[in-house]
Amino acid sequence: MVPTTLDFYDLVRALTDHPEWREQLRQLLLTEEILHLPQIVRELGEEVRSLAEAQKQTEAQVRALAVQVERLTEAQRQTEEQVKALASEVQRLIEAQRRTEQRVEELAEAQRRTEQRVAELAEAQRRTEQRVEELAEAQRRTEQRVEELAEAQRRTEQRV
């Protein structure tokens, strides 16, 4: 059966009302190669744009590199001068480090002596505390004896 104009417009209206049918109709009417053409054209366009941009960037980089080579040459000269200055500063710092290490050794020895003296003082403190405890015990015994004597005195006074 040959479609009529009315059938054609009905189809157009149906596709307008149901856009989801369009993709199915494309799949039926077009070959795989034709269906992939829009994607291929988009990819080619993107690739051409990418290549053109890369070419522009490469040209800009070449120009920038030429300027950088000049700057680097000058920077190299300045760096060599700074290295010489730094070498002399490093020698000065090495000597200062040597003196610092010597002083640290002296301080470490003084610290060892101080720690020994503190240990001796701690021992003396321990002995002093022990002696104070002994004196406190003697004081307690003396007070007890004084109380005993006072009690004896009271008894004696009561008898007399």
Side-chain angles (χ1 to χ4, degrees):
M1 162 178 206
V2 175
T4 64
T5 305
L6 185 57
D7 293 336
F8 176 75
Y9 287 118
D10 288 340
L11 177 62
V12 169
R13 192 174 314 106
L15 291 173
T16 303
D17 292 343
H18 300 281
E20 68 275 8
W21 293 354
R22 291 180 193 166
E23 185 57 35
Q24 267 185 319
L25 186 59
R26 276 190 209 102
Q27 299 289 329
L28 293 171
L29 295 176
L30 303 174
T31 66
E32 275 304 306
E33 292 83 16
I34 292 176
L35 287 172
H36 291 306
L37 277 178
Q39 180 60 33
I40 292 170
V41 169
R42 277 192 297 277
E43 290 172 0
L44 284 174
E46 289 172 10
E47 190 63 29
V48 167
R49 279 190 293 280
S50 176
L51 288 172
E53 182 60 33
Q55 178 64 29
K56 288 178 186 176
Q57 289 175 358
T58 300
E59 290 170 358
Q61 288 173 347
V62 166
R63 286 190 299 274
L65 284 174
V67 170
Q68 286 181 350
V69 165
E70 290 177 24
R71 289 180 184 158
L72 286 173
T73 302
E74 176 58 24
Q76 177 65 29
R77 186 191 61 72
Q78 292 174 357
T79 299
E80 289 171 357
E81 290 176 9
Q82 290 172 347
V83 165
K84 289 176 186 175
L86 285 174
S88 114
E89 180 66 14
V90 165
Q91 288 300 321
R92 188 187 67 75
L93 290 174
I94 289 171
E95 179 57 28
Q97 178 67 24
R98 187 194 61 73
R99 289 190 307 270
T100 300
E101 288 171 356
Q102 181 179 357
R103 184 66 180 133
V104 166
E105 287 176 16
E106 292 169 0
L107 289 172
E109 180 56 33
Q111 177 68 25
R112 282 189 288 279
R113 289 190 307 269
T114 300
E115 289 171 356
Q116 181 180 356
R117 184 66 182 136
V118 166
E120 292 169 0
L121 289 171
E123 178 57 27
Q125 176 68 26
R126 186 194 61 74
R127 288 192 308 269
T128 301
E129 288 172 355
Q130 182 179 0
R131 185 66 182 132
V132 166
E133 287 177 20
E134 292 170 359
L135 289 172
E137 179 58 27
Q139 176 69 27
R140 187 188 59 72
R141 287 193 309 270
T142 301
E143 287 173 356
Q144 184 178 1
R145 186 69 182 132
V146 167
E147 285 179 22
E148 290 171 359
L149 288 173
E151 181 59 32
Q153 177 68 31
R154 273 192 298 274
R155 284 193 307 264
T156 300
E157 288 174 359
Q158 286 176 353
R159 276 190 262 153
V160 171

